[in-house]
Amino acid sequence: MMHSAKLTAVAALLGISSLANAASSGIDLVANETPINTPASPEAVAKIPTNFKFVNPGYLTVAVAVLGSAPPFGLFARDNKTVIGSESDIARLVADGLGLKLKLVPASWEDWPLGVTSGKYDAATYNITVTKDRKTKFDFATYRQDTLGFYVKSTSSITSIKSAPDIAGKRIIVGSGTNQESVLLAWDKENQAKGLKAFTPIYVTDDAASTLALQSGRADATFGPNVSAAYKAKLTGTTKLVGIVPGGWPKTANIAVTLKKGNGLVDAVQASLNSAIANGSYLKVLDRWGESVEKIDHSEINPPGLGD
C-alpha cells in the first residue's frame, strides 16, 4: 500500500478511494520504487564519442515525464521527490549500460525539445514518438512500440472510435503538438472534405484536467498513449477503451530515447538498449509497468516514423 501525499493525490485524481486498487491492477508502485539496474555494456561504452561532453560529467542527464504526466510514465515515490515510472526506468537502463550515473530532470512536454537541442539535457525519455519532422532535429534510439487509444467514460454510449468518420462532431481531449493531434487533424481534414462535421479538440494541461473534462461530460473521449490510459482504466473502472490506432498512423511507430541530432551519442544509446534487451532487464521494466504489450526485439536508430 502507498501512503505518501503525492501518490495519494494521484490516486484521488483518478477517482479512487483506496490505493489497494493499484495492487489489483497488477502494478505494485511500492515495489516499483526499487530500481532495476543492468551491467555496463563494453560495446555501448566503446561507442561513446571520444571527448564527448555530457551535461554533467559522469552522468547521463535525462528529461523525463512527471509534470502533467500520469502513471505509468512518471510519478513521484513515497518521499515526494524521487521520480519513478517506466520512462525513468528506461533512462536508468541506458545510463547503466553506458557506465554512467543517472540524473533525472522532471520537465514539461514543451521544455524537452529546446532542452535537448540546447544541451540542457543529454537525452529525453518522455514517451516521444519518432516522426519525420522530429528526425530533422533529433536522433532516436527506439525502445517501445507506440500505440494510441481512444477512451471514453465507462457509462458512455460510444462503443467504437477507430477511423476518421468516428470522430466527426465529437469533442476529443488531445495533447497539443503531439503525434496523436496530428492523426486527429488529418482525420478531420478528410472528414470535412466529405462534408462530415468537424471534431472539436480539447486541450488540457494535465491528467487531472483531462479526467475532470471527461467525467463531467465536457469531452466525449480522450486520445493518447494507450499504456497510460489502459493503466488508468484498469485502476479506476471509470473509463473504457473504444479503439486503438498505431502511433504512426497509418503506419506503425516507435517510442525512442531522443538525443541532439548529429552529436554521435545515439549509437552508444542504441547499443546500451540492445544490451538491456538481451539480458532481460528491459523486459523486467516493461512488465512491472504493464507495458510489455509494446515491447520490441531490438532498438533501431531513426526508423521510419509518423509522416514518412
Side-chain angles (χ1 to χ4, degrees), residues 42 65-66 68 101 109 120 179 189 192 204 238 280 282 290:
V66 178
K101 296 179 181 179
W109 176 263
K120 182 180 179 181
N179 64 308
K189 183 178 180 181
Q192 292 195 53
V204 295
T238 60
Y282 162 81

Side-chain angles (χ1 to χ4, degrees), residues 1-14 16 19 29-30 33 71 74-80 82 84 231:
M1 296 288 289
M2 297 178 295
H3 300 286
S4 74
K6 181 67 69 174
L7 292 182
T8 301
V10 170
L13 291 175
L14 295 181
I16 57 177
L19 293 175
L29 295 181
V30 174
E33 291 182 6
L75 63 158
F76 288 102
R78 289 170 294 172
D79 62 7
N80 293 331
T82 302
I84 63 173
Y231 175 99

Side-chain angles (χ1 to χ4, degrees), residues 106-244:
S108 68
W109 176 263
E110 294 78 12
D111 179 59
W112 72 258
L114 180 59
V116 171
T117 56
S118 68
K120 182 180 179 181
Y121 313 122
D122 296 312
T125 55
Y126 212 112
N127 198 53
I128 301 166
T129 302
V130 180
T131 72
K132 180 181 179 180
D133 289 342
R134 288 174 185 161
K135 283 188 289 184
T136 64
K137 295 182 179 180
F138 306 101
D139 282 327
F140 295 96
T142 63
Y143 61 89
R144 191 160 43 80
Q145 296 178 53
D146 179 23
T147 60
L148 303 170
F150 284 101
Y151 284 78
V152 298
K153 191 175 180 179
S154 57
T155 56
S156 173
S157 61
I158 298 172
T159 59
S160 178
I161 304 178
K162 296 180 180 179
S163 60
D166 298 330
I167 71 167
K170 291 185 173 62
R171 302 161 298 168
I172 301 176
I173 298 167
V174 64
S176 177
T178 61
N179 64 308
Q180 51 263 34
E181 181 191 36
S182 297
V183 172
L184 291 181
L185 293 176
W187 283 9
D188 188 57
K189 183 178 180 181
E190 179 183 326
N191 283 344
Q192 292 195 53
K194 296 178 180 178
L196 298 177
K197 290 184 179 180
F199 94 105
T200 301
I202 295 180
Y203 301 109
V204 295
T205 56
D206 55 37
D207 186 62
S210 174
T211 298
L212 180 61
L214 188 65
Q215 295 300 324
S216 68
R218 189 165 66 87
D220 298 307
T222 65
F223 185 46
N226 185 55
V227 291
S228 179
Y231 175 99
K232 182 177 176 181
K234 193 169 185 179
L235 198 64
T236 69
T238 60
T239 56
K240 62 182 180 181
L241 175 69
V242 292
I244 291 180

